[in-house]
Amino acid sequence: MMSLSRRRFLATASLTTGAFCLHPRFLFAEEESPVIVIRRAAATAKINVQKLRDNVSVLEGSGGNIAVLTGRDGKLLVDAGITASRQRIAQALSSLSSDPVKHLINTHWHFDHTDGNGWLHSVGAEIMARENTLKHLSAATRVEGWNFTFPPAPQGALPTKVLTGDQQLYLNGTTLELKYYPPAHTDSDLFVQFVDTDIFRVAETFWNGYFPFI
């Protein structure tokens, strides 16, 4: 599930350095915050659906990739994309199955993985994340490298199930392992292993073609 989809996504916003633009040392030269650029691009971004194995798929095109596990226990999403893409994300989810969205895991707190928390919660998703993800989303956070201050997320966008250790879930006929691994991309990263299909959702601790952004 490691891909350069975000590089392609950023390219549509005329950031020619692609995914590497999110590295702080590249951002000081940007006159406009990449957060604003990415959110604007997400309003028209195409959402690509790629089926992986069994009932696991990935949606590409709105911020970080979104993993989707379908089944009778309700859809489980790993990461939430950008809110501006809501309509196309919803259409992509409907194309996979009619199962309602019931579960959402945030791999870390960065906006391109949590921006859609609010609307996904409003349609029925319980949000799971590490305790530091809740901490960062609950308070105003200034990121100098992005030239942006994130306001506290509204209550409905906050994780309601806080993970303080490793967690095992069994949903839709699949065992999922949620594990925390420091040092990582942030102080709250976790990876999700879909055990039965041997798929790992590693978010941004590992990058395809680049050294990890730790």
Side-chain angles (χ1 to χ4, degrees):
M1 200 173 290
M2 296 178 287
S3 77
L4 290 180
S5 65
R6 184 150 76 161
R7 182 180 182 184
R8 295 194 298 268
F9 177 82
L10 287 170
T12 66
S14 299
L15 294 179
T16 57
T17 51
F20 234 34
C21 286
L22 290 184
H23 195 293
R25 70 189 182 96
F26 286 99
L27 296 178
F28 289 107
E30 295 292 334
E31 294 182 0
E32 187 173 31
S33 169
V35 175
I36 296 172
V37 175
I38 290 171
R39 284 177 170 164
R40 184 189 305 132
T44 57
K46 178 182 178 182
I47 305 300
N48 297 310
V49 179
Q50 180 177 345
K51 292 195 174 183
L52 301 179
R53 300 191 189 101
D54 296 341
N55 54 340
V56 182
S57 302
V58 62
L59 309 184
E60 301 175 335
S62 179
N65 293 343
I66 302 171
V68 184
L69 174 70
T70 60
R72 63 184 181 181
D73 296 319
K75 289 187 181 79
L76 176 139
L77 276 60
V78 183
D79 290 330
I82 308 294
T83 300
S85 303
R86 173 177 179 171
Q87 181 178 359
R88 282 171 298 285
I89 291 174
Q91 291 170 348
L93 291 171
S94 295
S95 74
L96 292 173
S97 75
S98 60
D99 309 315
V101 177
K102 291 293 186 182
H103 317 275
L104 170 62
I105 299 169
N106 291 152
T107 57
H108 61 292
W109 70 271
H110 285 166
F111 80 102
D112 53 325
H113 296 257
T114 60
D115 198 66
N117 277 12
W119 79 263
L120 287 166
H121 174 72
S122 74
V123 299
E126 177 188 50
I127 306 173
M128 293 173 273
R130 291 285 305 180
E131 52 193 335
N132 278 344
T133 294
L134 174 61
K135 172 186 173 182
H136 289 299
L137 292 178
S138 299
T141 303
R142 176 68 181 176
V143 181
E144 292 295 342
W146 295 350
N147 188 28
F148 196 86
T149 300
F150 293 93
Q155 188 66 34
L158 296 176
T160 55
K161 185 173 182 180
V162 178
L163 309 177
T164 57
D166 294 345
Q167 181 84 31
Q168 184 180 86
L169 305 175
Y170 186 77
L171 293 168
N172 299 325
T174 298
T175 300
L176 298 99
E177 298 280 356
L178 283 62
K179 295 187 177 183
Y180 171 60
Y181 53 154
H185 184 57
T186 71
D187 61 359
S188 61
D189 282 62
L190 56 83
F191 72 78
V192 181
Q193 179 185 4
F194 299 81
V195 175
D196 303 275
T197 52
D198 197 26
I199 293 171
F200 286 80
R201 175 70 170 103
V202 296
E204 292 180 354
T205 299
F206 296 97
W207 289 26
N208 186 9
Y210 297 105
F211 287 111
F213 177 10
I214 303 299

